[in-house]
Amino acid sequence: MINGSTNEFIDRISTCQDTVFIYKGKKYWFQGYMPNENTVHMEIFQIDPAKEGYVWEYNGSSITEGQEEFQIAPIFDGKTFWEVEQEMEWVDC
């Protein structure tokens, strides 16, 4: 991960903090929140260039499960976070 620690990035995802990063020249925004005490929502948008809709979305009952799902989802050109993290730049750390 460029400009940050991969483990700190994953920790930040697990606390649902807004996080901005760049992969292959595209800027993404991660956010998460709990709409109620039993539900977790996490999402990633492509913000530059802007793209409509979610790039990735998780709805469930556990922040831990959401963080794990983020790590294994083929979000980035069909690849997972761990397959591309060395090419990602964390821009708001």
Side-chain angles (χ1 to χ4, degrees), residues 21-28 46 48 75-81 83-91:
F21 58 94
I22 297 171
Y23 171 68
K24 289 196 172 179
K26 297 175 184 170
K27 189 179 281 188
Y28 297 89
Q46 181 180 311
D48 190 18
I75 301 168
F76 309 101
D77 299 327
K79 296 178 182 176
T80 68
F81 170 77
E83 293 173 307
V84 302
E85 63 83 17
Q86 68 282 353
E87 300 173 59
M88 294 175 76
E89 180 181 2
W90 186 1
V91 294

Side-chain angles (χ1 to χ4, degrees), residues 16-34:
C16 293
Q17 294 183 58
D18 290 3
T19 305
V20 179
F21 58 94
I22 297 171
Y23 171 68
K24 289 196 172 179
K26 297 175 184 170
K27 189 179 281 188
Y28 297 89
W29 174 40
F30 167 89
Q31 72 172 355
Y33 53 91
M34 296 183 73

